Amino acid sequence: MDISKLAASIAESPTVKLNAEATRLRAQGEAIVHFGIGEPKNKAPMNAIASAVEKLNSGEIKYAPSDGIPSLKKAIVQYTEKNYGRTVEPANVIVSDGAKHSISNLLYALINPGDQVIILAPYWVSYPEMVKMVNGVPIIVTPADGGFYPKLSEIEKVITSSTRAIIVNSPNNPSGAIFPDELVGQIVDLCEKKNIYLFMDDIYHKLIFDGKKIAPVYNFTKKDIESTNIVVINGISKTYGMTGFRIGWVVANRKLVKTITNIQSQTTTCNSPICQVAAEAALTGDQSCVDELVATIQKNRDTVIQGLRSIPGVKVEKPEGAFYCFPDFSTLNKDSMALAEFLLKKALVVTVPGKEFGMEGHLRISFAGAASEVADGIARIKWALDPNSPREIQIGTRKVVRDW
Ligand code: PMP
Ligand code: GLU
């Protein structure tokens, strides 16, 4: 039997696919450096693990409310107050199976067939496919100046009567750029004027370098939570290195939260209570693990930038947050897919082709791993791409010879 036309049109997530490929190659004993997945390598906070263990030991692991257990929702309310200066009610919060699920639910709740969702290139790989999955139309805005965020006029130009939402992700995956506060403020104004939802994907909002501060998105509106067009998406995956726990959330008006609750009650029933108590502990416990993570990835960022800038022809902007950089390799005259394949084959380094993020000529490098692995991976990329490199190097147990 044939699969549906819609399902047939959806591409596999390239980041998830590359992660599986890297795991497979490592299991075969290959000395892979994995710059392909956006995942901090630190362990989950001990109090989060302890909470999960305690829940597990209780043996009382049953269905939970579809919108999240009350104590986790309360922790998210407090998080919102502390980090966004905005008082919300538990009825404004819905917990889902990771921020990916949160975004997918939002689209499900808001998009009618043919509705348009504005996505700003470079963008996270999953946005366009998630819009297509609800029969929406992704409208991509690519900055004409080759930078990593658009001018307001470039967004205004694509707005039509079918525009329903715009997705902003800052600090950004894949560029590590932070949108200027002024631009975020202009986008909020535009959304209010045109009655468009703003999905603020804040999954990296705690991972900011060099002590830079960004204004919480609610600072740019005078509207209250029930009337604002702003929807905030966040989660524990990146901030606490808890990717496998699958907890994300949305803060929005009550009606939207109730709608998503109905959807979840018919699709996933609830998120695992084991993961929910772990998330609650991470959010309410000692936050020094977040500072430690920021310090580690900032050091990695510096290693990556220094190494990439020493390769002839490579241009790279210094990331201001998240744990990605998005260097421009276009002078090497290879498309990004061919370049990523070349680096995997010759240097055993996994990267993600820029094409997947809507920008050819670039590769995404995720530097969330251990410092030694990051330094090794960048040295290998330099070796493979710099014509002045020595003829051979040792990679794992193999001697590799430059034959290109
Ligand atoms: N948004 C962005 C920009 C991301 O990079 C990710 C990474 N997975 C997510 C959302 C979703 O994160 P998760 O589902 O692990 O919470
Ligand atoms: N968001 C991360 C990434 O871009 C995790 C994988 C995914 O869900 O895409 O690599």
Side-chain angles (χ1 to χ4, degrees), residues 260-285:
I260 297 175
T261 308
N262 295 349
I263 294 167
Q264 278 194 173
S265 73
Q266 300 286 13
T267 50
T268 56
T269 303
C270 64
N271 185 283
S272 161
I274 305 167
C275 299
Q276 295 197 60
V277 295
E280 180 191 335
L283 289 174
T284 54

mmCIF file of all heavy atoms in Angstrom, residues 260-285:
data_model
loop_
_atom_site.group_PDB
_atom_site.id
_atom_site.type_symbol
_atom_site.label_atom_id
_atom_site.label_comp_id
_atom_site.label_asym_id
_atom_site.label_seq_id
_atom_site.Cartn_x
_atom_site.Cartn_y
_atom_site.Cartn_z
ATOM 1 N N ILE A 260 -3.703 22.926 22.483
ATOM 2 C CA ILE A 260 -2.588 21.960 22.385
ATOM 3 C C ILE A 260 -2.800 20.817 23.382
ATOM 4 O O ILE A 260 -2.472 19.655 23.098
ATOM 5 C CB ILE A 260 -1.231 22.667 22.611
ATOM 6 C CG1 ILE A 260 -0.999 23.710 21.518
ATOM 7 C CG2 ILE A 260 -0.087 21.658 22.613
ATOM 8 C CD1 ILE A 260 0.249 24.541 21.706
ATOM 9 N N THR A 261 -3.381 21.134 24.533
ATOM 10 C CA THR A 261 -3.675 20.070 25.510
ATOM 11 C C THR A 261 -4.635 19.048 24.894
ATOM 12 O O THR A 261 -4.453 17.825 25.038
ATOM 13 C CB THR A 261 -4.290 20.666 26.798
ATOM 14 O OG1 THR A 261 -3.434 21.706 27.259
ATOM 15 C CG2 THR A 261 -4.442 19.620 27.879
ATOM 16 N N ASN A 262 -5.661 19.549 24.197
ATOM 17 C CA ASN A 262 -6.600 18.626 23.532
ATOM 18 C C ASN A 262 -5.854 17.740 22.533
ATOM 19 O O ASN A 262 -6.079 16.529 22.472
ATOM 20 C CB ASN A 262 -7.686 19.406 22.783
ATOM 21 C CG ASN A 262 -8.581 20.193 23.718
ATOM 22 O OD1 ASN A 262 -8.535 20.001 24.930
ATOM 23 N ND2 ASN A 262 -9.392 21.086 23.171
ATOM 24 N N ILE A 263 -4.960 18.373 21.767
ATOM 25 C CA ILE A 263 -4.214 17.617 20.749
ATOM 26 C C ILE A 263 -3.358 16.545 21.434
ATOM 27 O O ILE A 263 -3.379 15.364 21.052
ATOM 28 C CB ILE A 263 -3.316 18.574 19.917
ATOM 29 C CG1 ILE A 263 -4.183 19.526 19.086
ATOM 30 C CG2 ILE A 263 -2.352 17.792 19.023
ATOM 31 C CD1 ILE A 263 -3.415 20.703 18.480
ATOM 32 N N GLN A 264 -2.647 16.956 22.473
ATOM 33 C CA GLN A 264 -1.780 15.976 23.167
ATOM 34 C C GLN A 264 -2.590 14.863 23.806
ATOM 35 O O GLN A 264 -2.166 13.713 23.830
ATOM 36 C CB GLN A 264 -0.940 16.673 24.243
ATOM 37 C CG GLN A 264 0.269 17.304 23.654
ATOM 38 C CD GLN A 264 1.344 17.752 24.617
ATOM 39 O OE1 GLN A 264 2.380 18.150 24.146
ATOM 40 N NE2 GLN A 264 1.172 17.709 25.912
ATOM 41 N N SER A 265 -3.780 15.219 24.323
ATOM 42 C CA SER A 265 -4.573 14.189 25.002
ATOM 43 C C SER A 265 -5.019 13.112 24.018
ATOM 44 O O SER A 265 -5.330 11.997 24.406
ATOM 45 C CB SER A 265 -5.773 14.822 25.707
ATOM 46 O OG SER A 265 -6.743 15.207 24.747
ATOM 47 N N GLN A 266 -5.035 13.495 22.725
ATOM 48 C CA GLN A 266 -5.435 12.512 21.706
ATOM 49 C C GLN A 266 -4.243 11.871 20.995
ATOM 50 O O GLN A 266 -4.418 10.976 20.187
ATOM 51 C CB GLN A 266 -6.320 13.198 20.637
ATOM 52 C CG GLN A 266 -7.592 13.803 21.172
ATOM 53 C CD GLN A 266 -8.643 12.768 21.535
ATOM 54 O OE1 GLN A 266 -8.349 11.574 21.618
ATOM 55 N NE2 GLN A 266 -9.864 13.217 21.749
ATOM 56 N N THR A 267 -3.042 12.385 21.253
ATOM 57 C CA THR A 267 -1.888 11.843 20.525
ATOM 58 C C THR A 267 -0.894 11.146 21.453
ATOM 59 O O THR A 267 -0.653 9.943 21.329
ATOM 60 C CB THR A 267 -1.166 12.944 19.713
ATOM 61 O OG1 THR A 267 -0.915 14.062 20.567
ATOM 62 C CG2 THR A 267 -1.990 13.370 18.515
ATOM 63 N N THR A 268 -0.320 11.878 22.408
ATOM 64 C CA THR A 268 0.703 11.246 23.262
ATOM 65 C C THR A 268 0.188 10.937 24.667
ATOM 66 O O THR A 268 0.913 10.344 25.462
ATOM 67 C CB THR A 268 1.930 12.173 23.423
ATOM 68 O OG1 THR A 268 1.483 13.421 23.938
ATOM 69 C CG2 THR A 268 2.632 12.397 22.114
ATOM 70 N N THR A 269 -0.992 11.395 25.011
ATOM 71 C CA THR A 269 -1.581 11.292 26.363
ATOM 72 C C THR A 269 -0.828 12.178 27.349
ATOM 73 O O THR A 269 -1.391 13.100 27.911
ATOM 74 C CB THR A 269 -1.644 9.842 26.876
ATOM 75 O OG1 THR A 269 -2.392 9.087 25.930
ATOM 76 C CG2 THR A 269 -2.303 9.735 28.244
ATOM 77 N N CYS A 270 0.464 11.873 27.566
ATOM 78 C CA CYS A 270 1.248 12.707 28.488
ATOM 79 C C CYS A 270 2.720 12.396 28.281
ATOM 80 O O CYS A 270 3.078 11.389 27.688
ATOM 81 C CB CYS A 270 0.872 12.416 29.940
ATOM 82 S SG CYS A 270 1.265 10.739 30.440
ATOM 83 N N ASN A 271 3.556 13.283 28.822
ATOM 84 C CA ASN A 271 4.984 12.999 28.834
ATOM 85 C C ASN A 271 5.270 12.106 30.045
ATOM 86 O O ASN A 271 4.547 12.161 31.045
ATOM 87 C CB ASN A 271 5.744 14.319 28.950
ATOM 88 C CG ASN A 271 7.243 14.115 28.842
ATOM 89 O OD1 ASN A 271 7.872 13.681 29.787
ATOM 90 N ND2 ASN A 271 7.786 14.387 27.691
ATOM 91 N N SER A 272 6.345 11.328 29.964
ATOM 92 C CA SER A 272 6.682 10.432 31.072
ATOM 93 C C SER A 272 6.882 11.223 32.366
ATOM 94 O O SER A 272 7.659 12.183 32.401
ATOM 95 C CB SER A 272 7.971 9.677 30.745
ATOM 96 O OG SER A 272 8.504 9.177 31.952
ATOM 97 N N PRO A 273 6.216 10.808 33.462
ATOM 98 C CA PRO A 273 6.400 11.510 34.737
ATOM 99 C C PRO A 273 7.827 11.408 35.268
ATOM 100 O O PRO A 273 8.269 12.279 36.015
ATOM 101 C CB PRO A 273 5.399 10.830 35.682
ATOM 102 C CG PRO A 273 4.949 9.594 34.994
ATOM 103 C CD PRO A 273 5.195 9.751 33.534
ATOM 104 N N ILE A 274 8.562 10.396 34.846
ATOM 105 C CA ILE A 274 9.966 10.265 35.297
ATOM 106 C C ILE A 274 10.782 11.438 34.751
ATOM 107 O O ILE A 274 11.555 12.082 35.463
ATOM 108 C CB ILE A 274 10.582 8.922 34.809
ATOM 109 C CG1 ILE A 274 9.718 7.750 35.261
ATOM 110 C CG2 ILE A 274 12.008 8.769 35.285
ATOM 111 C CD1 ILE A 274 10.052 6.436 34.570
ATOM 112 N N CYS A 275 10.569 11.723 33.489
ATOM 113 C CA CYS A 275 11.296 12.832 32.855
ATOM 114 C C CYS A 275 10.807 14.174 33.394
ATOM 115 O O CYS A 275 11.584 15.118 33.539
ATOM 116 C CB CYS A 275 11.118 12.783 31.344
ATOM 117 S SG CYS A 275 11.770 11.269 30.648
ATOM 118 N N GLN A 276 9.532 14.251 33.696
ATOM 119 C CA GLN A 276 8.986 15.524 34.178
ATOM 120 C C GLN A 276 9.551 15.885 35.559
ATOM 121 O O GLN A 276 9.889 17.046 35.800
ATOM 122 C CB GLN A 276 7.460 15.474 34.227
ATOM 123 C CG GLN A 276 6.846 15.337 32.832
ATOM 124 C CD GLN A 276 5.376 15.694 32.830
ATOM 125 O OE1 GLN A 276 4.996 16.809 33.164
ATOM 126 N NE2 GLN A 276 4.539 14.748 32.440
ATOM 127 N N VAL A 277 9.681 14.903 36.453
ATOM 128 C CA VAL A 277 10.244 15.254 37.774
ATOM 129 C C VAL A 277 11.723 15.619 37.620
ATOM 130 O O VAL A 277 12.244 16.492 38.332
ATOM 131 C CB VAL A 277 10.042 14.146 38.854
ATOM 132 C CG1 VAL A 277 8.578 13.954 39.173
ATOM 133 C CG2 VAL A 277 10.697 12.837 38.465
ATOM 134 N N ALA A 278 12.405 14.975 36.678
ATOM 135 C CA ALA A 278 13.817 15.316 36.437
ATOM 136 C C ALA A 278 13.923 16.760 35.937
ATOM 137 O O ALA A 278 14.792 17.534 36.371
ATOM 138 C CB ALA A 278 14.428 14.344 35.424
ATOM 139 N N ALA A 279 13.028 17.147 35.027
ATOM 140 C CA ALA A 279 13.051 18.514 34.482
ATOM 141 C C ALA A 279 12.778 19.527 35.593
ATOM 142 O O ALA A 279 13.439 20.573 35.681
ATOM 143 C CB ALA A 279 12.003 18.650 33.381
ATOM 144 N N GLU A 280 11.826 19.196 36.439
ATOM 145 C CA GLU A 280 11.484 20.101 37.551
ATOM 146 C C GLU A 280 12.717 20.315 38.441
ATOM 147 O O GLU A 280 13.039 21.451 38.814
ATOM 148 C CB GLU A 280 10.339 19.477 38.353
ATOM 149 C CG GLU A 280 9.900 20.310 39.519
ATOM 150 C CD GLU A 280 8.957 19.516 40.429
ATOM 151 O OE1 GLU A 280 8.300 18.564 39.965
ATOM 152 O OE2 GLU A 280 8.896 19.860 41.618
ATOM 153 N N ALA A 281 13.428 19.223 38.726
ATOM 154 C CA ALA A 281 14.618 19.338 39.586
ATOM 155 C C ALA A 281 15.686 20.189 38.894
ATOM 156 O O ALA A 281 16.338 21.033 39.529
ATOM 157 C CB ALA A 281 15.162 17.947 39.909
ATOM 158 N N ALA A 282 15.868 19.998 37.588
ATOM 159 C CA ALA A 282 16.881 20.792 36.863
ATOM 160 C C ALA A 282 16.536 22.273 36.928
ATOM 161 O O ALA A 282 17.396 23.123 37.181
ATOM 162 C CB ALA A 282 16.979 20.319 35.416
ATOM 163 N N LEU A 283 15.269 22.584 36.737
ATOM 164 C CA LEU A 283 14.857 23.997 36.691
ATOM 165 C C LEU A 283 14.934 24.668 38.056
ATOM 166 O O LEU A 283 15.195 25.870 38.140
ATOM 167 C CB LEU A 283 13.416 24.112 36.150
ATOM 168 C CG LEU A 283 13.217 23.814 34.670
ATOM 169 C CD1 LEU A 283 11.731 23.821 34.324
ATOM 170 C CD2 LEU A 283 13.954 24.827 33.806
ATOM 171 N N THR A 284 14.690 23.893 39.111
ATOM 172 C CA THR A 284 14.606 24.516 40.440
ATOM 173 C C THR A 284 15.902 24.345 41.242
ATOM 174 O O THR A 284 16.045 24.956 42.294
ATOM 175 C CB THR A 284 13.430 23.912 41.255
ATOM 176 O OG1 THR A 284 13.584 22.494 41.278
ATOM 177 C CG2 THR A 284 12.080 24.255 40.645
ATOM 178 N N GLY A 285 16.827 23.528 40.741
ATOM 179 C CA GLY A 285 18.049 23.246 41.502
ATOM 180 C C GLY A 285 19.154 24.264 41.240
ATOM 181 O O GLY A 285 18.939 25.313 40.624
#
